[in-house]
Amino acid sequence: MTQYKIALLPGDGIGPECMAATRIVLDRLVADTPGLDLEFTSHHAGAELYRETGETLPDAVLQDCLQAHAVLLSAIGLPDVRQPDGTEVQPTMMVGLRRALGVHSAVRPVKLYPGAPCALRDTGPGIDFVVIRENLEGLFASFGGGSQVGNEVATDTLVVTRQGTRQVVDYACRLARRRKGRPSDGQRMVTCVDKANVFRSFAFFRKVFFETAAAHADVVSDAVYVDAMSLYMVQKPWDFDVLVMENQFGDILSDLGAGLVGGLGLGPSGEIGERHALFQPSHGTAPQLAGKNVANPMATILSAAMMMDWLGDQHQDPVCTQAGLQLEAAVASVLAAEQVLTPDLGGSASTTEVAQAVAQSLEPSSKISV
Ligand code: ATP
């Protein structure tokens, strides 16, 4: 039996509460699952630490993240904690952590669970697609760079490389093979989202996309311009399965996706590399909710479900894969019952009560796919 080392970064604002809630669920899961062994190390990192020490991510913490089997992060950043240049500490820390871990594919499932509030009147055959955002280059390659000419002009450069594009497209195709296909007809497909009609960098992204996708003949590949995709995500989201795109486009469309299926409190994410992976909810630190035990912990719990699924895939360990299914099914059953929900979902339960309800709903034979 493998013991998986998980580095926990609870972070700032509502982060520690959501992490504590997730630990309630994970501890119950481990206690009830023969053959599942998780060892947690928890570290201070982020804006509060920066306020105290001037550091967001001490080297010892980074080293522990690099040595762990996976990293689970809750939320980082506080608007009143700033670097000398006036910017928040969160982007610097997260870009540094992503680059150090080499996590090239950011994965955001957009899945409508029964009981979750949906912004659309007609949900057709259901919503279940994944936004995959290239996570290390694109417009964010310019982070920490860029240039300003006098007081008149500023530039940032968007970078698309063959290797970076191949890695993210290859990951998208492999993920599509593990999924059930798009809700409208079960077709497994990967869609490139770009602006290839206007920019050379996106034309190149699309070219490498089709070259790479050709190696995955069982998955249909197509391409849609980003402006059209933002329309289709609202009009017919059930026609999509896996979407892959440049970093900045993914940043925007993944929040649109979260908005379709119940808001940030339900949006998990994974950031996947060849050796390392980092999991965190899509939401930020929501400082006005911090310390009140009212934040929705489901996005962090669903991120932990994605982590277990990734560990199962990476280590060919069916116990972890099953644990991921159980976690997701437990969240889905609490949502569907509509009894124990936090205020963002129209309920009055606390963060802790939701965690306890999810822990009580864990069942060994859950079948929902992540
Ligand atoms: P960041 O810039 O760090 O991504 P943000 O400014 O986008 O953060 P968030 O902190 O993600 O903002 O949250 C925006 C709003 O969404 C919050 O003010 C809060 O009302 C709501 N929200 C976010 N996460 C949760 C949660 N887990 N539970 C309840 N409400 C949440």
Side-chain angles (χ1 to χ4, degrees):
M1 176 169 77
T2 307
Q3 183 186 60
Y4 296 99
K5 254 185 82 186
I6 312 295
L8 302 178
L9 304 178
D12 306 304
I14 59 172
E17 294 156 68
C18 293
M19 187 65 87
T22 303
R23 278 299 299 272
I24 290 174
V25 180
L26 285 174
D27 288 349
R28 172 72 72 89
L29 181 69
V30 171
D32 290 354
T33 311
L36 180 62
D37 189 1
L38 305 180
E39 188 205 35
F40 299 104
T41 53
S42 184
H43 301 284
H44 288 300
E48 210 58 82
L49 185 71
Y50 183 86
R51 190 175 358 234
E52 289 161 21
T53 67
E55 269 190 304
T56 51
L57 187 67
D59 192 50
V61 177
L62 176 60
Q63 291 310 320
D64 193 62
C65 292
L66 286 166
Q67 276 156 25
H69 288 93
V71 181
L72 183 62
L73 184 153
S74 203
I76 298 289
L78 292 171
D80 64 320
V81 178
R82 303 270 168 166
Q83 301 176 109
D85 66 0
T87 61
E88 285 192 40
V89 302
Q90 189 265 2
T92 312
M93 173 176 151
M94 288 312 303
V95 171
L97 184 57
R98 281 175 189 136
R99 287 178 179 171
L101 294 173
V103 283
H104 50 69
S105 300
V107 183
R108 294 233 184 137
V110 178
K111 183 165 179 175
L112 183 62
Y113 294 97
C118 182
L120 302 181
R121 211 163 4 126
D122 174 11
T123 53
I127 303 174
D128 185 358
F129 65 91
V130 180
V131 173
I132 300 190
R133 162 186 179 187
E134 197 293 317
N135 207 32
L136 296 174
E137 45 186 59
L139 193 53
F140 283 70
S142 191
F143 182 78
S147 68
Q148 186 172 333
V149 182
N151 211 21
E152 302 302 325
V153 179
T155 62
D156 282 295
T157 306
L158 192 150
V159 177
V160 173
T161 69
R162 174 174 289 279
Q163 188 193 352
T165 308
R166 281 195 78 92
Q167 278 180 325
V168 71
V169 173
D170 196 57
Y171 179 79
C173 293
R174 283 189 281 122
L175 181 67
R177 291 168 108 160
R178 297 184 60 218
R179 286 172 49 83
K180 289 175 301 189
R182 60 181 182 181
S184 56
D185 60 5
Q187 175 68 60
R188 287 192 171 90
M189 61 188 294
V190 178
T191 304
C192 176
V193 181
D194 59 44
K195 197 70 184 165
N197 52 337
V198 177
F199 296 105
R200 264 190 195 161
S201 54
F202 287 111
F204 182 65
F205 188 92
R206 184 179 282 209
K207 178 170 174 283
V208 177
F209 167 82
F210 280 118
E211 283 171 18
T212 309
H216 302 266
D218 48 340
V219 176
V220 169
S221 51
D222 72 347
V224 174
Y225 299 130
V226 65
D227 40 347
M229 181 53 77
S230 35
L231 180 78
Y232 297 153
M233 275 175 66
V234 174
Q235 283 186 337
K236 46 174 189 171
W238 39 85
D239 273 355
F240 298 99
D241 182 13
V242 176
L243 312 179
V244 62
M245 62 199 79
E246 177 273 335
N247 209 331
Q248 176 68 18
F249 286 170
D251 187 27
I252 298 166
L253 288 195
S254 56
D255 267 28
L256 172 57
L260 289 179
V261 294
L264 291 172
L266 285 178
S269 81
E271 298 177 52
I272 313 292
E274 299 303 305
R275 292 188 53 221
H276 303 286
L278 162 73
F279 299 85
Q280 61 173 322
S282 308
H283 61 72
T285 55
Q288 85 280 15
L289 304 181
K292 297 181 178 159
N293 202 21
V294 294
N296 187 349
M298 286 177 167
T300 314
I301 299 170
L302 288 170
S303 302
M306 290 179 70
M307 176 181 80
M308 296 312 303
D309 181 67
W310 178 78
L311 286 171
D313 190 43
Q314 187 82 351
H315 299 278
Q316 297 300 301
D317 186 342
V319 176
C320 290
T321 306
Q322 179 62 20
L325 294 174
Q326 283 174 253
L327 283 172
E328 189 196 10
V331 171
S333 83
V334 171
L335 270 172
E338 296 185 45
Q339 297 294 315
V340 187
L341 300 175
T342 42
D344 58 308
L345 299 180
S348 57
S350 68
T351 309
T352 315
E353 285 165 342
V354 170
Q356 286 162 345
V358 174
Q360 276 160 20
S361 301
L362 286 168
E363 290 196 23
S365 58
S366 312
K367 292 252 182 323
I368 288 187
S369 65
V370 178

